[in-house]
Amino acid sequence: MLHAKLASIYDNVLHRNPGEAEFHQAVLEVLESIGPVLGKHPEYAESKIIERICEPERQIIFRVPWEDDRGEVHINRGFRVEFNSALGPYKGGLRFHPSVYLGIVKFLGFEQIFKNSLTGLPIGGGKGGSDFDPKGRSSREVMRFCQSFMTELYRHIGEHTDVPAGDIGVGQREIGYLFGQYKRVTNRYESGVITGKGLSYGGAQVRTEATGYGCAFFVDEMLRARGTSFDGRRVAVSGSGNVAVYTAEKVQQLGGIVVACSDSSGYVLDEKGIDLDLLKQIKQVERGRLDVYAARRGTEAVFVPGRSVWEVSCEVAMPSATQNEISAADAESLVRSGCIAVAEGANMPTTPGAIRVFQDAGVSFGPGKAANAGGVATSALEMQQNASRDSWTFEFSEQRLRDIMADIHDRCLLTADEYGMPGNYVAGANIDGFKRVADAMLSLGLI
Ligand SMILES: NC(=O)C1=CN([C@@H]2O[C@H](COP(=O)(O)OP(=O)(O)OC[C@H]3O[C@@H](n4cnc5c(N)ncnc54)[C@H](O)[C@@H]3O)[C@@H](O)[C@H]2O)C=CC1
Ligand SMILES: O=C(O)CCC(=O)C(=O)O
Protein backbone atom coordinates (compact mmCIF):
# COMPACT_ATOMS: atom_id res chain seq x y z
CA MET A 1 0.00 0.00 0.00
CA LEU A 2 1.53 3.31 -1.10
CA HIS A 3 1.57 6.38 1.17
CA ALA A 4 -1.00 8.89 -0.36
CA LYS A 5 1.64 11.39 -1.45
CA LEU A 6 3.66 8.60 -3.15
CA ALA A 7 0.54 7.18 -4.83
CA SER A 8 -0.05 10.53 -6.49
CA ILE A 9 3.61 10.75 -7.58
CA TYR A 10 3.34 7.24 -9.03
CA ASP A 11 0.13 8.14 -10.95
CA ASN A 12 2.00 11.05 -12.44
CA VAL A 13 4.92 8.78 -13.46
CA LEU A 14 2.43 6.47 -15.24
CA HIS A 15 0.81 9.42 -16.98
CA ARG A 16 4.08 11.04 -18.10
CA ASN A 17 5.79 7.83 -19.24
CA PRO A 18 3.14 5.79 -21.06
CA GLY A 19 3.97 2.29 -22.28
CA GLU A 20 7.17 1.96 -20.22
CA ALA A 21 6.18 -1.02 -18.06
CA GLU A 22 9.68 -1.88 -16.79
CA PHE A 23 10.31 1.74 -15.75
CA HIS A 24 6.95 1.82 -13.90
CA GLN A 25 7.88 -1.43 -12.10
CA ALA A 26 11.28 -0.11 -10.99
CA VAL A 27 9.77 3.18 -9.73
CA LEU A 28 6.98 1.42 -7.82
CA GLU A 29 9.44 -0.84 -6.00
CA VAL A 30 11.38 2.17 -4.72
CA LEU A 31 8.27 4.19 -3.81
CA GLU A 32 6.86 1.22 -1.86
CA SER A 33 9.98 1.25 0.34
CA ILE A 34 10.45 4.92 1.08
CA GLY A 35 7.10 5.81 2.70
CA PRO A 36 8.58 5.69 6.25
CA VAL A 37 11.42 8.02 5.20
CA LEU A 38 8.99 10.81 4.36
CA GLY A 39 7.60 10.75 7.91
CA LYS A 40 11.09 11.37 9.32
CA HIS A 41 12.18 13.80 6.58
CA PRO A 42 9.37 16.18 5.50
CA GLU A 43 12.03 18.31 3.75
CA TYR A 44 12.24 15.74 0.93
CA ALA A 45 8.57 16.16 0.07
CA GLU A 46 8.72 19.96 0.45
CA SER A 47 11.53 20.14 -2.13
CA LYS A 48 9.85 17.60 -4.42
CA ILE A 49 12.94 15.40 -4.31
CA ILE A 50 11.03 12.27 -5.34
CA GLU A 51 9.32 13.91 -8.30
CA ARG A 52 12.72 15.18 -9.42
CA ILE A 53 14.42 11.78 -9.00
CA CYS A 54 11.74 10.16 -11.19
CA GLU A 55 12.44 12.56 -14.06
CA PRO A 56 15.72 11.96 -15.97
CA GLU A 57 18.01 14.99 -16.19
CA ARG A 58 18.50 14.29 -19.91
CA GLN A 59 17.41 11.65 -22.47
CA ILE A 60 19.25 11.22 -25.75
CA ILE A 61 17.89 9.14 -28.65
CA PHE A 62 19.81 8.86 -31.89
CA ARG A 63 20.05 7.06 -35.23
CA VAL A 64 22.78 4.44 -35.71
CA PRO A 65 23.30 3.55 -39.38
CA TRP A 66 25.77 0.77 -40.25
CA GLU A 67 26.59 -1.63 -43.04
CA ASP A 68 26.73 -5.44 -42.73
CA ASP A 69 29.34 -7.71 -44.37
CA ARG A 70 27.20 -8.03 -47.52
CA GLY A 71 26.93 -4.27 -47.94
CA GLU A 72 23.32 -4.03 -46.73
CA VAL A 73 22.52 -0.90 -44.72
CA HIS A 74 20.83 -1.21 -41.29
CA ILE A 75 19.38 1.48 -39.05
CA ASN A 76 19.26 0.97 -35.29
CA ARG A 77 18.25 3.28 -32.49
CA GLY A 78 20.72 4.40 -29.81
CA PHE A 79 19.85 5.65 -26.31
CA ARG A 80 21.57 7.30 -23.38
CA VAL A 81 19.49 8.34 -20.38
CA GLU A 82 21.44 10.62 -18.03
CA PHE A 83 19.25 10.15 -14.99
CA ASN A 84 20.85 11.77 -11.97
CA SER A 85 24.21 13.44 -11.39
CA ALA A 86 23.82 14.57 -7.77
CA LEU A 87 26.58 12.22 -6.57
CA GLY A 88 28.95 12.32 -9.54
CA PRO A 89 29.15 11.86 -13.32
CA TYR A 90 26.38 9.70 -14.79
CA LYS A 91 27.58 6.10 -14.62
CA GLY A 92 26.05 2.94 -16.02
CA GLY A 93 26.35 0.40 -18.80
CA LEU A 94 25.27 0.10 -22.42
CA ARG A 95 22.97 -2.77 -23.44
CA PHE A 96 22.85 -4.09 -27.02
CA HIS A 97 19.80 -6.35 -27.35
CA PRO A 98 16.78 -6.31 -29.71
CA SER A 99 14.41 -5.78 -26.74
CA VAL A 100 15.97 -2.39 -25.88
CA TYR A 101 13.60 0.60 -25.99
CA LEU A 102 13.28 3.75 -23.91
CA GLY A 103 11.38 2.01 -21.07
CA ILE A 104 14.15 -0.57 -20.56
CA VAL A 105 16.89 2.06 -20.58
CA LYS A 106 14.93 4.20 -18.09
CA PHE A 107 14.31 1.30 -15.69
CA LEU A 108 18.00 0.44 -15.78
CA GLY A 109 19.06 4.09 -15.37
CA PHE A 110 16.64 4.58 -12.46
CA GLU A 111 17.96 1.45 -10.65
CA GLN A 112 21.49 2.66 -11.28
CA ILE A 113 20.93 5.89 -9.28
CA PHE A 114 20.31 3.99 -6.04
CA LYS A 115 22.80 1.20 -6.74
CA ASN A 116 25.58 3.68 -7.37
CA SER A 117 24.61 5.58 -4.24
CA LEU A 118 24.80 2.36 -2.20
CA THR A 119 28.43 1.81 -3.26
CA GLY A 120 29.35 4.98 -1.32
CA LEU A 121 31.46 6.08 -4.33
CA PRO A 122 31.09 9.39 -6.26
CA ILE A 123 28.98 8.21 -9.22
CA GLY A 124 25.60 9.37 -10.52
CA GLY A 125 23.18 7.17 -12.45
CA GLY A 126 22.71 6.64 -16.19
CA LYS A 127 22.24 3.88 -18.73
CA GLY A 128 22.19 3.45 -22.49
CA GLY A 129 22.15 1.00 -25.32
CA SER A 130 20.61 0.05 -28.60
CA ASP A 131 18.12 -2.37 -30.15
CA PHE A 132 21.05 -3.76 -32.19
CA ASP A 133 21.21 -7.58 -32.00
CA PRO A 134 24.84 -8.76 -31.89
CA LYS A 135 23.79 -12.43 -32.08
CA GLY A 136 25.18 -14.02 -35.26
CA ARG A 137 27.05 -10.87 -36.31
CA SER A 138 30.74 -11.02 -37.28
CA SER A 139 33.31 -9.08 -35.26
CA ARG A 140 33.71 -6.66 -38.19
CA GLU A 141 29.97 -5.96 -38.19
CA VAL A 142 30.03 -5.42 -34.42
CA MET A 143 32.98 -3.06 -34.87
CA ARG A 144 31.20 -1.02 -37.56
CA PHE A 145 28.10 -0.80 -35.37
CA CYS A 146 30.12 0.32 -32.32
CA GLN A 147 31.95 2.95 -34.39
CA SER A 148 28.69 4.37 -35.69
CA PHE A 149 27.14 4.33 -32.19
CA MET A 150 30.10 6.21 -30.71
CA THR A 151 30.21 8.71 -33.59
CA GLU A 152 27.05 10.19 -32.05
CA LEU A 153 27.49 9.26 -28.38
CA TYR A 154 30.95 10.83 -28.00
CA ARG A 155 29.56 14.39 -27.81
CA HIS A 156 27.48 13.52 -24.72
CA ILE A 157 30.06 11.68 -22.59
CA GLY A 158 33.35 12.42 -20.82
CA GLU A 159 35.23 11.41 -17.70
CA HIS A 160 33.61 14.25 -15.70
CA THR A 161 30.23 14.05 -17.48
CA ASP A 162 29.01 10.56 -18.26
CA VAL A 163 30.98 7.29 -18.14
CA PRO A 164 29.44 4.26 -19.90
CA ALA A 165 30.46 0.59 -19.47
CA GLY A 166 29.11 -2.82 -20.56
CA ASP A 167 25.84 -4.66 -19.95
CA ILE A 168 24.00 -7.37 -21.94
CA GLY A 169 25.64 -7.74 -25.35
CA VAL A 170 28.47 -5.34 -24.49
CA GLY A 171 31.66 -6.98 -23.23
CA GLN A 172 35.34 -6.19 -23.53
CA ARG A 173 35.37 -6.55 -27.34
CA GLU A 174 32.66 -3.90 -27.76
CA ILE A 175 34.20 -1.61 -25.11
CA GLY A 176 37.48 -1.74 -27.08
CA TYR A 177 35.76 -0.70 -30.33
CA LEU A 178 33.78 2.04 -28.54
CA PHE A 179 36.85 3.45 -26.77
CA GLY A 180 38.88 3.27 -30.00
CA GLN A 181 36.30 5.36 -31.84
CA TYR A 182 36.00 7.86 -28.96
CA LYS A 183 39.77 8.35 -29.01
CA ARG A 184 39.73 8.76 -32.79
CA VAL A 185 36.95 11.33 -33.07
CA THR A 186 38.03 13.40 -30.07
CA ASN A 187 41.80 13.03 -30.48
CA ARG A 188 41.99 12.53 -26.69
CA TYR A 189 43.34 9.53 -24.79
CA GLU A 190 40.74 9.98 -22.07
CA SER A 191 40.92 6.63 -20.29
CA GLY A 192 38.29 7.51 -17.69
CA VAL A 193 35.55 8.05 -20.31
CA ILE A 194 34.51 4.39 -20.34
CA THR A 195 35.08 1.42 -18.02
CA GLY A 196 35.41 -2.31 -18.54
CA LYS A 197 38.46 -1.68 -20.76
CA GLY A 198 41.08 -4.33 -21.54
CA LEU A 199 44.10 -4.41 -19.24
CA SER A 200 46.46 -3.28 -22.03
CA TYR A 201 44.70 0.07 -22.51
CA GLY A 202 43.63 1.32 -19.08
CA GLY A 203 41.33 -1.42 -17.78
CA ALA A 204 41.30 -2.48 -14.15
CA GLN A 205 41.99 -5.86 -12.58
CA VAL A 206 38.81 -7.62 -11.41
CA ARG A 207 36.37 -5.44 -13.44
CA THR A 208 35.55 -8.42 -15.70
CA GLU A 209 34.82 -10.63 -12.70
CA ALA A 210 33.42 -7.94 -10.41
CA THR A 211 29.64 -8.21 -10.80
CA GLY A 212 29.61 -11.99 -10.39
CA TYR A 213 32.25 -12.11 -7.67
CA GLY A 214 30.51 -9.26 -5.85
CA CYS A 215 27.17 -11.06 -5.97
CA ALA A 216 28.75 -14.22 -4.54
CA PHE A 217 30.35 -12.15 -1.75
CA PHE A 218 26.95 -10.60 -1.03
CA VAL A 219 25.32 -14.04 -0.71
CA ASP A 220 28.21 -15.17 1.48
CA GLU A 221 27.29 -12.31 3.83
CA MET A 222 23.55 -13.13 3.67
CA LEU A 223 24.28 -16.75 4.54
CA ARG A 224 26.60 -15.69 7.37
CA ALA A 225 23.80 -13.48 8.74
CA ARG A 226 21.63 -16.64 8.82
CA GLY A 227 24.40 -18.50 10.64
CA THR A 228 25.38 -20.66 7.68
CA SER A 229 27.63 -20.68 4.57
CA PHE A 230 27.94 -21.79 0.93
CA ASP A 231 29.68 -24.97 2.00
CA GLY A 232 28.30 -27.91 -0.02
CA ARG A 233 25.11 -26.04 -0.98
CA ARG A 234 23.36 -26.56 -4.35
CA VAL A 235 23.29 -23.34 -6.33
CA ALA A 236 21.46 -22.53 -9.58
CA VAL A 237 22.54 -19.59 -11.75
CA SER A 238 20.63 -18.28 -14.76
CA GLY A 239 22.44 -16.99 -17.84
CA SER A 240 25.94 -17.90 -18.96
CA GLY A 241 27.27 -14.46 -19.79
CA ASN A 242 29.65 -12.21 -17.89
CA VAL A 243 27.72 -12.04 -14.62
CA ALA A 244 26.70 -15.72 -14.57
CA VAL A 245 30.14 -17.16 -15.32
CA TYR A 246 31.97 -15.18 -12.62
CA THR A 247 29.16 -15.71 -10.12
CA ALA A 248 29.59 -19.45 -10.65
CA GLU A 249 33.37 -19.19 -10.37
CA LYS A 250 33.35 -17.39 -7.03
CA VAL A 251 30.51 -19.54 -5.62
CA GLN A 252 32.58 -22.64 -6.36
CA GLN A 253 35.65 -21.04 -4.73
CA LEU A 254 33.52 -20.33 -1.65
CA GLY A 255 32.44 -23.98 -1.42
CA GLY A 256 29.07 -24.02 -3.21
CA ILE A 257 28.19 -26.43 -6.05
CA VAL A 258 26.74 -24.69 -9.10
CA VAL A 259 24.56 -27.40 -10.63
CA ALA A 260 22.84 -25.38 -13.37
CA CYS A 261 23.15 -22.40 -15.70
CA SER A 262 21.20 -21.29 -18.78
CA ASP A 263 20.98 -19.22 -21.95
CA SER A 264 18.01 -18.17 -24.06
CA SER A 265 17.86 -21.69 -25.61
CA GLY A 266 17.44 -23.64 -22.33
CA TYR A 267 19.48 -24.82 -19.35
CA VAL A 268 22.21 -27.28 -18.45
CA LEU A 269 21.99 -29.49 -15.37
CA ASP A 270 25.37 -30.76 -14.22
CA GLU A 271 25.06 -32.46 -10.82
CA LYS A 272 28.82 -32.62 -10.25
CA GLY A 273 29.15 -28.86 -10.65
CA ILE A 274 29.55 -26.78 -13.82
CA ASP A 275 32.96 -27.19 -15.49
CA LEU A 276 33.92 -23.52 -15.77
CA ASP A 277 36.84 -23.98 -18.15
CA LEU A 278 34.54 -25.72 -20.61
CA LEU A 279 31.77 -23.14 -20.12
CA LYS A 280 34.19 -20.24 -20.71
CA GLN A 281 35.61 -21.92 -23.82
CA ILE A 282 32.13 -22.33 -25.34
CA LYS A 283 30.63 -19.00 -24.26
CA GLN A 284 33.57 -16.59 -24.27
CA VAL A 285 35.83 -18.00 -26.98
CA GLU A 286 33.48 -19.79 -29.40
CA ARG A 287 30.37 -17.69 -28.59
CA GLY A 288 28.33 -20.92 -28.90
CA ARG A 289 25.10 -22.28 -27.35
CA LEU A 290 24.75 -24.36 -24.18
CA ASP A 291 23.77 -27.63 -25.87
CA VAL A 292 27.42 -27.80 -26.98
CA TYR A 293 28.44 -27.80 -23.28
CA ALA A 294 26.34 -30.89 -22.53
CA ALA A 295 27.52 -32.67 -25.68
CA ARG A 296 31.20 -32.12 -24.81
CA ARG A 297 30.85 -32.80 -21.08
CA GLY A 298 29.44 -36.26 -21.93
CA THR A 299 27.10 -38.20 -19.65
CA GLU A 300 27.71 -35.94 -16.65
CA ALA A 301 25.46 -33.13 -17.88
CA VAL A 302 22.09 -32.81 -19.58
CA PHE A 303 20.82 -29.95 -21.70
CA VAL A 304 17.12 -29.16 -21.25
CA PRO A 305 15.92 -27.08 -24.23
CA GLY A 306 13.29 -24.36 -23.95
CA ARG A 307 12.71 -24.70 -20.18
CA SER A 308 13.39 -22.35 -17.27
CA VAL A 309 16.37 -23.08 -15.03
CA TRP A 310 14.15 -22.27 -12.04
CA GLU A 311 12.63 -25.75 -12.21
CA VAL A 312 15.97 -27.05 -10.85
CA SER A 313 15.92 -27.66 -7.07
CA CYS A 314 18.53 -25.59 -5.23
CA GLU A 315 19.31 -23.95 -1.90
CA VAL A 316 20.63 -20.72 -3.42
CA ALA A 317 19.28 -19.09 -6.60
CA MET A 318 21.29 -16.41 -8.39
CA PRO A 319 19.38 -14.97 -11.38
CA SER A 320 22.03 -13.46 -13.69
CA ALA A 321 20.39 -13.18 -17.13
CA THR A 322 17.65 -10.58 -17.61
CA GLN A 323 14.64 -8.73 -16.14
CA ASN A 324 11.48 -10.50 -14.92
CA GLU A 325 12.85 -14.01 -15.39
CA ILE A 326 11.55 -15.40 -12.04
CA SER A 327 7.74 -15.54 -11.87
CA ALA A 328 5.72 -16.07 -8.67
CA ALA A 329 5.19 -19.70 -9.76
CA ASP A 330 8.97 -20.15 -10.20
CA ALA A 331 9.49 -18.65 -6.73
CA GLU A 332 6.97 -21.06 -5.18
CA SER A 333 8.73 -23.98 -6.80
CA LEU A 334 12.13 -22.74 -5.56
CA VAL A 335 10.79 -22.35 -2.01
CA ARG A 336 9.33 -25.90 -2.13
CA SER A 337 12.70 -27.22 -3.26
CA GLY A 338 14.41 -25.79 -0.15
CA CYS A 339 15.79 -22.48 -1.42
CA ILE A 340 16.98 -20.26 1.47
CA ALA A 341 18.69 -17.38 -0.36
CA VAL A 342 18.21 -15.50 -3.64
CA ALA A 343 20.44 -12.71 -4.92
CA GLU A 344 19.88 -10.72 -8.10
CA GLY A 345 23.02 -10.66 -10.26
CA ALA A 346 20.82 -9.35 -13.08
CA ASN A 347 18.82 -6.11 -12.87
CA MET A 348 15.21 -6.69 -11.70
CA PRO A 349 15.11 -10.42 -12.65
CA THR A 350 12.49 -11.15 -9.97
CA THR A 351 8.88 -10.12 -10.56
CA PRO A 352 7.13 -8.25 -7.70
CA GLY A 353 4.94 -11.33 -7.02
CA ALA A 354 8.02 -13.55 -6.76
CA ILE A 355 9.71 -11.15 -4.33
CA ARG A 356 6.62 -11.39 -2.09
CA VAL A 357 6.74 -15.21 -2.22
CA PHE A 358 10.41 -15.23 -1.16
CA GLN A 359 9.95 -12.68 1.61
CA ASP A 360 6.83 -14.39 3.00
CA ALA A 361 8.72 -17.71 3.06
CA GLY A 362 11.64 -16.21 5.02
CA VAL A 363 14.09 -16.59 2.11
CA SER A 364 16.95 -14.05 2.31
CA PHE A 365 16.36 -11.91 -0.79
CA GLY A 366 19.13 -9.59 -2.05
CA PRO A 367 17.85 -7.05 -4.61
CA GLY A 368 20.02 -6.24 -7.64
CA LYS A 369 20.79 -2.68 -6.64
CA ALA A 370 22.66 -4.12 -3.63
CA ALA A 371 23.73 -7.61 -4.76
CA ASN A 372 25.07 -6.69 -8.22
CA ALA A 373 26.62 -3.34 -7.25
CA GLY A 374 30.12 -4.86 -7.34
CA GLY A 375 30.38 -4.29 -11.10
CA VAL A 376 29.76 -0.57 -11.03
CA ALA A 377 31.77 -0.18 -7.81
CA THR A 378 34.79 -1.73 -9.53
CA SER A 379 34.15 0.56 -12.51
CA ALA A 380 34.45 3.48 -10.09
CA LEU A 381 37.75 1.96 -8.91
CA GLU A 382 38.83 1.77 -12.57
CA MET A 383 38.05 5.50 -12.87
CA GLN A 384 40.18 6.16 -9.75
CA GLN A 385 43.09 4.23 -11.26
CA ASN A 386 42.71 6.04 -14.60
CA ALA A 387 42.65 9.44 -12.86
CA SER A 388 45.86 8.70 -10.97
CA ARG A 389 47.45 6.80 -13.90
CA ASP A 390 47.91 3.85 -11.60
CA SER A 391 46.97 0.17 -11.67
CA TRP A 392 46.33 -2.00 -8.68
CA THR A 393 46.97 -5.72 -8.21
CA PHE A 394 44.27 -8.35 -8.57
CA GLU A 395 44.44 -9.24 -4.86
CA PHE A 396 44.13 -5.62 -3.68
CA SER A 397 41.25 -4.92 -6.10
CA GLU A 398 39.39 -8.07 -5.07
CA GLN A 399 39.75 -7.18 -1.39
CA ARG A 400 38.34 -3.68 -2.09
CA LEU A 401 35.38 -5.34 -3.84
CA ARG A 402 34.82 -7.75 -0.96
CA ASP A 403 34.88 -4.90 1.59
CA ILE A 404 32.45 -2.81 -0.49
CA MET A 405 29.99 -5.73 -0.78
CA ALA A 406 30.18 -6.47 2.96
CA ASP A 407 29.57 -2.79 3.69
CA ILE A 408 26.53 -2.64 1.37
CA HIS A 409 25.16 -5.81 2.96
CA ASP A 410 25.54 -4.46 6.49
CA ARG A 411 24.04 -1.07 5.65
CA CYS A 412 20.99 -2.74 4.05
CA LEU A 413 20.37 -4.71 7.23
CA LEU A 414 21.05 -1.77 9.58
CA THR A 415 18.72 0.52 7.62
CA ALA A 416 16.00 -2.12 7.45
CA ASP A 417 16.27 -2.49 11.25
CA GLU A 418 16.21 1.27 11.78
CA TYR A 419 12.96 1.55 9.79
CA GLY A 420 11.30 -1.40 11.55
CA MET A 421 11.65 -3.98 8.74
CA PRO A 422 14.34 -6.36 10.03
CA GLY A 423 15.84 -8.67 7.39
CA ASN A 424 14.18 -6.78 4.51
CA TYR A 425 17.11 -6.12 2.14
CA VAL A 426 14.79 -4.54 -0.46
CA ALA A 427 13.64 -1.82 1.95
CA GLY A 428 17.16 -1.38 3.35
CA ALA A 429 18.72 -0.94 -0.10
CA ASN A 430 16.04 1.42 -1.39
CA ILE A 431 16.02 3.62 1.70
CA ASP A 432 19.79 3.80 2.13
CA GLY A 433 20.37 4.40 -1.62
CA PHE A 434 17.61 7.02 -1.76
CA LYS A 435 18.71 9.01 1.29
CA ARG A 436 22.25 9.68 0.09
CA VAL A 437 20.98 10.98 -3.27
CA ALA A 438 18.16 12.98 -1.65
CA ASP A 439 20.54 14.66 0.81
CA ALA A 440 22.94 15.61 -1.99
CA MET A 441 20.05 17.00 -4.07
CA LEU A 442 18.85 19.11 -1.14
CA SER A 443 22.35 20.56 -0.72
CA LEU A 444 22.71 21.37 -4.42
CA GLY A 445 19.61 23.60 -4.59
CA LEU A 446 16.83 23.48 -7.16
CA ILE A 447 18.60 21.91 -10.14
N1 LIG B 1 27.98 -6.70 -16.83
C1 LIG B 1 27.87 -6.09 -15.67
O1 LIG B 1 28.85 -5.61 -15.10
C2 LIG B 1 26.54 -5.98 -15.00
C3 LIG B 1 25.43 -6.61 -15.49
N2 LIG B 1 24.27 -6.59 -14.77
C4 LIG B 1 23.09 -7.28 -15.25
O2 LIG B 1 23.35 -8.69 -15.32
C5 LIG B 1 22.54 -9.28 -16.34
C6 LIG B 1 23.43 -10.05 -17.29
O3 LIG B 1 24.36 -9.16 -17.90
P1 LIG B 1 25.73 -9.65 -18.53
O4 LIG B 1 26.13 -10.94 -17.93
O5 LIG B 1 26.64 -8.49 -18.48
O6 LIG B 1 25.31 -9.85 -20.05
P2 LIG B 1 25.84 -10.92 -21.11
O7 LIG B 1 25.43 -10.41 -22.43
O8 LIG B 1 27.29 -11.22 -20.86
O9 LIG B 1 25.03 -12.23 -20.73
C7 LIG B 1 23.63 -12.26 -20.74
C8 LIG B 1 23.20 -13.68 -20.51
O10 LIG B 1 21.79 -13.69 -20.30
C9 LIG B 1 21.20 -14.60 -21.20
N3 LIG B 1 19.90 -14.05 -21.59
C10 LIG B 1 19.64 -12.81 -22.11
N4 LIG B 1 18.34 -12.70 -22.37
C11 LIG B 1 17.78 -13.87 -21.99
C12 LIG B 1 16.46 -14.37 -22.00
N5 LIG B 1 15.45 -13.62 -22.47
N6 LIG B 1 16.26 -15.61 -21.51
C13 LIG B 1 17.29 -16.37 -21.03
N7 LIG B 1 18.56 -15.95 -21.02
C14 LIG B 1 18.79 -14.73 -21.49
C15 LIG B 1 22.14 -14.68 -22.38
O11 LIG B 1 21.99 -15.91 -23.07
C16 LIG B 1 23.48 -14.59 -21.69
O12 LIG B 1 23.86 -15.85 -21.18
C17 LIG B 1 21.74 -8.13 -16.96
O13 LIG B 1 20.52 -8.01 -16.27
C18 LIG B 1 22.60 -6.92 -16.63
O14 LIG B 1 21.84 -5.73 -16.62
C19 LIG B 1 24.20 -5.98 -13.56
C20 LIG B 1 25.26 -5.33 -13.04
C21 LIG B 1 26.49 -5.19 -13.77
O1 LIG C 1 30.12 -0.60 -14.57
C1 LIG C 1 29.26 0.19 -14.88
O2 LIG C 1 29.42 1.38 -15.04
C2 LIG C 1 27.84 -0.23 -15.12
C3 LIG C 1 27.42 -1.54 -14.62
C4 LIG C 1 25.96 -1.68 -14.92
O3 LIG C 1 25.52 -1.40 -16.01
C5 LIG C 1 25.05 -2.09 -13.87
O4 LIG C 1 25.41 -1.98 -12.69
O5 LIG C 1 23.91 -2.49 -14.19
Side-chain angles (χ1 to χ4, degrees):
M1 212 13 208
L2 275 183
H3 180 288
K5 170 89 195 146
L6 294 171
S8 130
I9 293 174
Y10 183 60
D11 279 348
N12 204 31
V13 167
L14 294 180
H15 178 70
R16 287 168 66 82
N17 305 277
E20 297 177 0
E22 297 83 0
F23 177 52
H24 303 160
Q25 184 182 334
V27 170
L28 184 59
E29 189 210 280
V30 171
L31 297 189
E32 280 176 342
S33 295
I34 60 175
V37 183
L38 296 190
K40 284 197 184 179
H41 295 277
E43 67 276 19
Y44 295 153
E46 281 154 21
S47 299
K48 301 213 167 162
I49 293 289
I50 301 161
E51 290 90 327
R52 282 197 267 154
I53 284 187
C54 291
E55 185 69 22
E57 288 176 16
R58 192 174 298 109
Q59 308 183 52
I60 301 147
I61 303 182
F62 50 99
R63 181 173 68 197
V64 190
W66 60 282
E67 203 175 271
D68 69 20
D69 287 344
R70 292 172 302 135
E72 191 183 334
V73 170
H74 299 261
I75 314 293
N76 284 100
R77 191 168 281 178
F79 301 89
R80 188 74 185 166
V81 173
E82 299 181 333
F83 227 117
N84 194 297
S85 60
L87 299 180
Y90 310 104
K91 183 85 195 86
L94 298 171
R95 175 176 293 191
F96 292 169
H97 192 272
S99 63
V100 168
Y101 77 107
L102 188 59
I104 293 269
V105 182
K106 279 166 71 177
F107 117 65
L108 290 163
F110 187 74
E111 289 279 294
Q112 205 79 47
I113 302 170
F114 308 99
K115 181 193 306 191
N116 294 4
S117 164
L118 276 171
T119 67
L121 296 162
I123 39 180
K127 198 87 182 193
S130 173
D131 56 0
F132 171 69
D133 187 358
K135 216 175 270 174
R137 291 290 171 196
S138 70
S139 279
R140 296 182 69 78
E141 289 175 324
V142 169
M143 180 182 75
R144 284 197 291 275
F145 175 80
C146 289
Q147 289 180 339
S148 180
F149 185 87
M150 186 53 87
T151 300
E152 172 59 30
L153 187 68
Y154 87 92
R155 67 191 86 243
H156 307 290
I157 62 176
E159 65 175 312
H160 302 296
T161 316
D162 183 356
V163 182
D167 190 81
I168 292 179
V170 179
Q172 216 176 83
R173 175 182 64 173
E174 291 74 20
I175 294 291
Y177 296 149
L178 291 163
F179 181 62
Q181 185 70 356
Y182 182 85
K183 187 177 83 56
R184 181 187 190 194
V185 295
T186 60
N187 193 27
R188 284 162 63 87
Y189 207 105
E190 189 184 334
S191 303
V193 72
I194 196 162
T195 61
K197 299 180 293 295
L199 293 178
S200 59
Y201 59 94
Q205 296 282 0
V206 187
R207 176 61 190 92
T208 303
E209 298 84 356
T211 308
Y213 278 22
C215 196
F217 290 142
F218 193 88
V219 173
D220 203 36
E221 297 296 330
M222 291 203 302
L223 292 173
R224 201 190 319 279
R226 292 178 77 104
T228 182
S229 74
F230 263 122
D231 205 22
R233 291 201 182 274
R234 274 174 77 85
V235 181
V237 173
S238 64
S240 45
N242 172 269
V243 178
V245 163
Y246 293 102
T247 292
E249 184 164 283
K250 187 50 73 181
V251 165
Q252 299 203 347
Q253 289 170 12
L254 293 170
I257 305 165
V258 179
V259 294
C261 67
S262 64
D263 65 15
S264 46
S265 65
Y267 72 87
V268 155
L269 181 63
D270 191 341
E271 291 289 349
K272 291 219 168 107
I274 296 286
D275 176 338
L276 284 169
D277 289 338
L278 179 58
L279 185 66
K280 285 182 188 172
Q281 171 65 27
I282 291 164
K283 283 291 170 185
Q284 298 177 350
V285 181
E286 300 170 23
R287 296 179 189 269
R289 312 297 294 168
L290 266 188
D291 54 342
V292 178
Y293 174 95
R296 285 204 207 149
R297 182 93 156 123
T299 51
E300 317 230 312
V302 283
F303 175 67
V304 184
R307 306 276 308 179
S308 161
V309 69
W310 306 122
E311 66 188 26
V312 172
S313 69
C314 62
E315 296 164 284
V316 179
M318 303 182 71
S320 311
T322 195
Q323 63 275 357
N324 289 326
E325 52 163 299
I326 302 188
S327 65
D330 294 328
E332 278 160 9
S333 142
L334 284 166
V335 168
R336 274 196 305 276
S337 85
C339 185
I340 58 166
V342 177
E344 296 186 321
N347 286 308
M348 210 169 73
T350 318
T351 57
I355 296 177
R356 271 192 298 279
V357 171
F358 289 135
Q359 290 181 330
D360 291 349
V363 171
S364 299
F365 178 79
K369 52 175 82 72
N372 73 38
V376 76
T378 307
S379 277
L381 302 184
E382 182 172 332
M383 291 163 71
Q384 282 184 28
Q385 290 165 80
N386 292 151
S388 57
R389 306 206 185 285
D390 196 1
S391 62
W392 308 340
T393 63
F394 193 94
E395 292 69 26
F396 178 75
S397 309
E398 189 181 13
Q399 190 56 48
R400 286 285 311 258
L401 170 64
R402 191 166 196 151
D403 293 344
I404 289 168
M405 296 314 294
D407 180 58
I408 294 174
H409 172 272
D410 293 353
R411 271 187 294 112
C412 287
L413 279 191
L414 274 174
T415 306
D417 269 351
E418 184 188 335
Y419 283 86
M421 294 173 272
N424 187 335
Y425 289 91
V426 175
N430 284 332
I431 293 173
D432 197 74
F434 168 77
K435 280 190 67 214
R436 184 167 169 237
V437 180
D439 289 339
M441 288 175 74
L442 277 181
S443 305
L444 295 176
L446 187 52
I447 53 168

